[in-house]
Amino acid sequence: MDPLEERQKFSPRHDLDPDATFQFLPAPDAKKLEKPPVRHKKLWIGLGLVMAALALSLMTGLLVWRFHLNRNMPLPRVYVGSMTIDHQSFLPDYEDPSSGAFVKMASLVSQQLKVMYHTNLGKLGKYFRRSSVEAFSNDSDDSVTAYYRSEFDVPHAEQASVDAAVSSLETAAESQRTRRGRLLLKPNHALNVNSVVTRAIDPRMASSSLLVKESFNVHVREGGVIHSPGFPDSPYPPNIYLQWRLRADASHRVRLDFQKLILEDNCQKDFIKIYDSLAPLEQTAMAEYCGVAPQTLSFVSSGNVMLLTLVTDDKKNFPGFKANFSQVSQGLSECGGTLSGDTGVFSSPFFPSSYPPRTLCVWNIQVSKPKLVRVKFIKFYVGNDSDCSRDYVELNGRRLCGAQMGSQWVSSRSNLMTVKFNSDASYVDQGFLATYEAFTPSDRKAFSPPFIQFVLSSRETLLDFSKTSQILCDVVFSFGPVCLEMFRCTNGLCLATRLRCNGVDDCGDSSDEEDCKTCDSKAFHCRNGHCVMQTKVCNGKDDCGDGSDELKCRKLVAETSCPDFRFRCQNGQCLEKVNPECDVEDDCEDGSDEESCQCGLRQYRSSRIVGGQASQQDEWPWQVSLQLMGQGHACGGSILSSRWVLTAAHCVQDKGSARRSQADQWEALLGQHELSRTNEWSLTKKITRIVAHRDYDERTFENDVALMELDSDVPLNQHIWPICLPSPAHSFPAGQEAWITGWGATREGGTTKMVLQKAKIHIINNSMCNNAMNNGVTDGMLCAGVLEGGVDACQGDSGGPLAVVSPSGHVFLAGVVSWGDGCALKNKPGIYTRVTRYRGWIKEHSGV
Ligand code: 4AZ
């Protein structure tokens, strides 16, 4: 018999009931196991059956009892809440939990809570364990809000009903308050409790695996910075629950602007959550983020407090976050009012920051008669519920919510228009930016759907309409399927064909400027077939949508104004700072030094190549194994994007019968750790194109760089991720630590390794290197190694990365493994293609 099968048969099935603990009965006396005499056989069988039945019923009873017990076993359940107390002035000492005033007030609130749990709804009293008051704030002059945590021991089966009882306490409090003016709880207590909100804490914040729980109290008056522990030098620690309680002066708001946020991309594991309160109450949650945050991430509170929480699990730690805090006066942002000019712009409060929760703004737009008003949203991100009941904009009584880009004009039927903006108590968005203008109905753009809607379904109707209408010249709106002798815009408008491809957005949705073979003489023809006005070329904005209107001008700026060793922003600005890219500081005025900074990050737990060691899964997610058909692993490579891999030109030179320059001879293995073992996330991709550097010199190894294009985009994830390409000005100074990775030989003349190897080496300056390498090292090459020998790249590592980790945790591709004098010999460093020298070449040939 297969020994494994035997084991399986007799192993207890603990997996059926993880809570069940098995107890073995003492073994019966050995004598009793002796075979009974034959005449007693029947008696023994009967007795055996009775015993078995007894044992069975005993076990069943035990299981039922255990199950019942488990369901009734009290489990800790944590609730958080806030209590607003009227006629109570806020003392400055309430901000300091160690002060006598804090302790005294906290004790009063705890007593009040105990009374509430015991007297109001009998059910809660018997499970209540303790409350602790964690903070106070002052929303108005004569009231204080206390933030607390209450712990209960609740049997599993009772959890839902206790949750409901806790929430109904809120409703009971509310109804008593509204009836009597203030909440009266027996026995009549010294505190004038105005309102109480208590809810079960987010279960991710109550997990027993959280080892470090800490809170920081920050007054934001002077402004400053907060960041996750270790940021940006080391990843945040595992299993932490941190809180930053941010407080502004009375009649001010807290403002929090994130400069960087890089967490694990799974909110069940690591996340930040921001609250419009000092307690992590779900109904005041403003936002929750994980992964890499978008460029603008900025929040403003509705009152004078805000809570930021960071929760992490035990795996995959990332750089974390850095954010600026400050306070803004309550009256600072314009919210509503009368707009009486004939044109203007208005926005949700604090745009492009997120709008605060609990906000209502009303704008009354009034233009001179007989003109009408129309409004267009330039940006619109307001809530996302299906019925626009929470956050919304109301125009002429019609509610809008969700996300929309480049909307059409919405017109009024008079010279007045009312615009209302509403946000509820939780989950905020970026808001909106709108423009309005006065117009006369004869303006051609006035034919926006809400203003005039003509249903044209046949040629006759259209011609008839054209004859009679004085205002129909270029645009008509049609619900019918055709636009006779006209261009049909995507939004349904019919447009005179002469207005196609003239660089002007006549449709209102730009569809008349797309798919143009040529453009009008005043317009620029973008690479993607769009037409934009010549005046928009080189204006610093991507008007084409593919950047082609800004491409040529950048080159001009570069040639004329920025020396090679200085970083050039996209707008041409030249920076003094060394290596400003992706360093978490905004250095360029246009923010371009911090754009595209999702590269070079890894989601592995922190913890051939000669002289190296095995790397960990996901430690080098950009590493590629380039395999030659029928021969297996031949070279390394680095992922630059979902489509492109960078390698060495010498890997793709024909060699005897091996047609290495042909794309169909290669396959790329991505997300691979152990070469012989593919797993669920590793991918094999065909190569459609190889672009080797035209000037590669196989004698000198100059320009040893090549690109490989994958036959389709690969999904990027924690196993497959691009490395950062350094700007041409990026400095990798001598002495800097760098990493080489590959499956190459671990000794000269050896065979390839199965597990991806890594080795730490150092950058060596070119002149010192030239002494050792017979002056064979040119400006396009970079030396790195360990001069004592023993650590180096070797056969099979070629084309792979020489990686440098920046202070912000981004990994940059400093070099491509190219050549050397043997492997790991003393005073014979490895030579790499210097990637900064080929940054322009890579961009030109791959677009990356
Ligand atoms: C090779 O043959 C090779 N020691 C790569 C790197 C080095 C030597 C040889 C550097 O692929």
Side-chain angles (χ1 to χ4, degrees):
M1 186 194 277
D2 179 339
L4 182 71
E5 259 185 50
E6 182 142 278
R7 263 203 314 277
Q8 276 174 347
K9 235 178 215 167
F10 293 102
S11 62
R13 293 293 306 273
H14 286 284
D15 53 333
L16 290 179
D17 179 4
D19 290 336
T21 51
F22 290 87
Q23 293 218 341
F24 293 99
L25 293 167
D29 196 345
K31 274 189 199 151
K32 288 183 190 160
L33 289 176
E34 279 169 15
K35 210 175 174 189
V38 175
R39 61 192 146 88
H40 291 138
K41 200 174 171 186
K42 277 192 179 161
L43 186 68
W44 278 110
I45 290 173
L47 210 63
L49 280 173
V50 170
M51 294 280 283
L54 268 174
L56 196 71
S57 47
L58 190 74
M59 277 183 67
T60 316
L62 209 67
L63 278 172
V64 169
W65 178 74
R66 274 200 171 276
F67 179 68
H68 188 72
L69 185 83
N70 273 351
R71 282 183 60 76
N72 283 303
M73 195 128 69
L75 293 169
R77 192 148 176 83
V78 180
Y79 294 83
V80 285
S82 65
M83 177 192 283
T84 305
I85 305 150
D86 279 348
H87 311 311
Q88 190 77 42
S89 39
F90 187 85
L91 308 177
D93 273 358
Y94 287 167
E95 289 193 26
D96 173 10
S98 64
S99 70
F102 184 107
V103 174
K104 196 167 152 209
M105 189 62 179
S107 146
L108 284 177
V109 173
S110 295
Q111 280 172 39
Q112 179 77 58
L113 286 167
K114 196 169 170 184
V115 169
M116 280 166 55
Y117 297 139
H118 277 88
T119 56
N120 242 34
L121 297 133
K123 186 159 212 167
L124 292 172
K126 63 179 173 192
Y127 303 128
F128 173 66
R129 210 158 44 142
R130 62 167 164 259
S131 290
S132 56
V133 175
E134 307 209 310
F136 293 104
S137 72
N138 56 328
D139 230 9
S140 72
D141 278 350
D142 79 333
S143 77
V144 169
T145 303
Y147 302 90
Y148 55 86
R149 201 182 144 90
S150 293
E151 289 171 42
F152 290 73
D153 284 329
V154 187
H156 182 74
E158 296 287 317
Q159 260 180 26
S161 63
V162 171
D163 284 359
V166 169
S167 330
S168 61
L169 191 66
E170 213 170 279
T171 331
E174 178 65 19
S175 68
Q176 284 197 41
R177 191 179 61 76
T178 44
R179 255 188 286 127
R180 304 190 202 171
R182 73 185 178 93
L183 176 66
L184 288 174
L185 294 160
K186 281 189 287 176
N188 205 355
H189 202 276
L191 297 180
N192 282 279
V193 178
N194 181 303
S195 66
V196 180
V197 183
T198 317
R199 286 295 149 85
I201 197 170
D202 185 324
R204 294 168 298 175
M205 293 175 177
S207 159
S208 56
S209 58
L210 294 169
L211 300 177
V212 178
K213 295 179 189 170
E214 227 180 312
S215 302
F216 310 98
N217 290 300
V218 182
H219 200 108
V220 301
R221 189 185 303 121
E222 309 293 341
V225 176
I226 50 175
H227 56 78
S228 51
F231 187 90
D233 301 324
S234 55
Y236 45 75
N239 296 316
I240 53 170
Y241 171 29
L242 303 183
Q243 294 191 329
W244 287 263
R245 293 193 195 109
L246 308 172
R247 260 178 249 266
D249 290 343
S251 312
H252 285 71
R253 300 171 191 264
V254 177
R255 182 178 175 131
L256 191 60
D257 297 283
F258 282 84
Q259 288 177 26
K260 212 76 191 177
L261 178 76
I262 310 168
L263 305 181
E264 184 180 356
D265 197 11
N266 180 343
C267 291
Q268 285 311 309
K269 303 195 161 169
D270 298 351
F271 64 93
I272 59 152
K273 205 159 173 177
I274 297 157
Y275 296 88
D276 194 38
S277 162
L278 286 182
L281 268 164
E282 186 55 32
Q283 53 270 68
T284 64
M286 291 168 70
E288 178 180 310
Y289 277 92
C290 55
V292 180
Q295 290 291 310
T296 313
L297 194 58
S298 174
F299 300 94
V300 181
S301 62
S302 70
N304 67 336
V305 293
M306 185 187 279
L307 178 74
L308 168 67
T309 60
L310 169 68
V311 177
T312 70
D313 79 343
D314 59 340
K315 291 190 202 77
K316 292 175 197 155
N317 303 317
F318 275 67
F321 73 83
K322 181 177 174 186
N324 291 347
F325 58 77
S326 57
Q327 69 176 25
V328 279
S329 170
Q330 281 279 3
L332 208 69
S333 174
E334 280 171 29
C335 171
T338 302
L339 303 173
S340 50
D342 269 5
T343 169
V345 290
F346 60 104
S347 68
S348 51
F350 301 102
F351 185 87
S353 259
S354 302
Y355 48 79
R358 300 195 289 147
T359 301
L360 174 66
C361 312
V362 180
W363 291 269
N364 290 307
I365 307 172
Q366 182 168 18
V367 299
S368 47
K369 276 185 179 166
K371 288 180 179 166
L372 309 182
V373 188
R374 63 187 177 199
V375 168
K376 183 154 113 169
F377 293 100
I378 298 160
K379 288 260 167 77
F380 192 94
Y381 303 100
V382 180
N384 60 1
D385 56 322
S386 54
D387 59 351
C388 298
S389 61
R390 300 165 72 102
D391 299 354
Y392 58 84
V393 173
E394 202 174 279
L395 277 184
N396 289 345
R398 225 178 77 203
R399 280 190 186 181
L400 304 172
C401 65
Q404 288 166 20
M405 279 299 287
S407 80
Q408 294 175 37
W409 290 104
V410 177
S411 313
S412 71
R413 290 161 199 271
S414 73
N415 68 324
L416 301 174
M417 172 126 73
T418 303
V419 182
K420 199 163 123 183
F421 166 72
N422 182 76
S423 69
D424 75 346
S426 64
Y427 292 100
V428 295
D429 244 313
Q430 198 184 14
F432 70 84
L433 175 66
T435 175
Y436 78 91
E437 63 185 35
F439 74 101
T440 38
S442 56
D443 286 356
R444 134 173 105 71
K445 279 189 183 158
F447 288 91
S448 65
F451 173 64
I452 246 176
Q453 295 186 345
F454 297 110
V455 183
L456 304 175
S457 52
S458 70
R459 187 183 176 85
E460 288 67 42
T461 331
L462 177 64
L463 294 179
D464 195 35
F465 177 77
S466 319
K467 264 186 258 151
T468 52
S469 168
Q470 305 207 331
I471 50 178
L472 175 76
C473 34
D474 294 326
V475 187
V476 289
F477 188 81
S478 163
F479 273 157
V482 285
C483 282
L484 290 165
E485 290 164 19
M486 296 182 102
F487 170 74
R488 189 177 177 91
C489 306
T490 306
N491 60 18
L493 289 172
C494 300
L495 185 79
T497 43
R498 66 183 173 77
L499 295 174
R500 271 272 283 153
C501 301
N502 62 356
V504 179
D505 172 14
D506 297 283
C507 284
D509 62 3
S510 301
S511 53
D512 55 317
E513 300 306 316
E514 292 167 5
D515 299 325
C516 300
K517 286 210 172 69
T518 55
C519 300
D520 186 294
S521 61
K522 289 197 193 76
F524 172 78
H525 195 211
C526 308
R527 277 192 187 173
N528 59 7
H530 292 196
C531 296
V532 297
M533 290 303 282
Q534 285 285 3
T535 50
K536 295 192 168 170
V537 176
C538 297
N539 65 353
K541 281 199 225 127
D542 175 12
D543 297 286
C544 285
D546 64 355
S548 53
D549 54 321
E550 300 298 316
L551 269 184
K552 291 207 175 125
C553 20
R554 277 190 213 145
K555 276 199 185 119
L556 280 177
V557 173
E559 278 158 18
T560 53
S561 66
C562 206
D564 287 352
F565 56 88
R566 285 179 51 184
F567 182 87
R568 184 178 45 78
C569 308
Q570 249 164 49
N571 62 4
Q573 189 190 351
C574 210
L575 300 183
E576 303 249 330
K577 190 177 188 181
V578 178
N579 300 347
E581 67 259 55
C582 304
D583 71 345
V584 194
E585 305 274 346
D586 272 334
D587 299 293
C588 293
E589 274 154 19
D590 62 359
S592 53
D593 57 313
E594 296 301 312
E595 270 170 19
S596 319
C597 289
Q598 302 195 359
C599 57
L601 296 169
R602 352 178 225 185
Q603 300 191 8
Y604 82 105
R605 263 189 94 178
S606 222
S607 52
R608 181 130 105 166
I609 304 277
V610 185
Q613 51 180 307
S615 61
Q616 293 175 43
Q617 174 74 57
D618 302 338
E619 194 175 353
W620 313 100
W622 34 85
Q623 176 78 47
V624 179
S625 163
L626 294 173
Q627 311 231 333
L628 264 175
M629 292 295 183
Q631 289 183 37
H633 175 86
C635 270
S638 302
I639 298 170
L640 304 185
S641 70
S642 52
R643 195 72 174 216
W644 290 93
V645 169
L646 192 74
T647 187
H650 81 253
C651 290
V652 292
Q653 303 300 312
D654 290 338
K655 226 184 192 179
S657 63
R659 294 184 300 118
R660 290 171 169 236
S661 63
Q662 303 304 305
D664 62 3
Q665 295 300 297
W666 289 94
E667 269 179 354
L669 252 69
L670 317 175
Q672 199 74 8
H673 181 56
E674 230 178 296
L675 265 194
S676 57
R677 222 193 305 161
T678 50
N679 45 45
E680 70 207 73
W681 53 77
S682 53
L683 280 179
T684 305
K685 288 301 242 177
K686 295 216 175 318
I687 307 295
T688 49
R689 192 150 56 109
I690 296 178
V691 189
H693 200 289
R694 234 191 3 207
D695 301 322
Y696 165 67
D697 185 332
E698 60 183 12
R699 202 178 44 83
T700 60
F701 279 89
E702 264 178 288
N703 308 310
D704 191 9
V705 61
L707 283 158
M708 285 189 174
E709 186 178 8
L710 307 176
D711 69 343
S712 61
D713 283 354
V714 284
L716 299 175
N717 52 45
Q718 71 195 73
H719 316 294
I720 301 175
W721 195 255
I723 192 167
C724 295
L725 283 169
S727 73
H730 201 108
S731 159
F732 297 106
Q736 185 166 37
E737 188 177 293
W739 289 88
I740 41 175
T741 49
W743 288 276
T746 46
R747 63 184 160 77
E748 204 179 336
T751 53
T752 53
K753 287 296 286 183
M754 280 306 137
V755 171
L756 182 64
Q757 302 287 300
K758 64 176 176 184
K760 187 165 83 177
I761 54 175
H762 290 92
I763 309 275
I764 295 167
N765 85 32
N766 273 28
S767 51
M768 189 201 266
C769 193
N770 260 324
N771 291 337
M773 303 300 288
N774 263 341
N775 292 325
V777 183
T778 64
D779 288 349
M781 300 175 192
L782 182 154
C783 288
V786 173
L787 288 179
E788 304 88 77
V791 191
D792 199 4
C794 203
Q795 287 93 355
D797 294 323
S798 279
L802 171 75
V804 169
V805 186
S806 77
S808 66
H810 290 82
V811 182
F812 282 88
L813 185 65
V816 175
V817 179
S818 177
W819 62 281
D821 196 348
C823 300
L825 301 175
K826 192 171 176 197
N827 289 327
K828 293 290 175 200
I831 316 299
Y832 300 80
T833 312
R834 192 181 278 273
V835 174
T836 49
R837 283 282 165 151
Y838 297 93
R839 184 64 192 92
W841 180 87
I842 295 168
K843 177 89 191 167
E844 188 185 337
H845 290 94
S846 67
V848 181

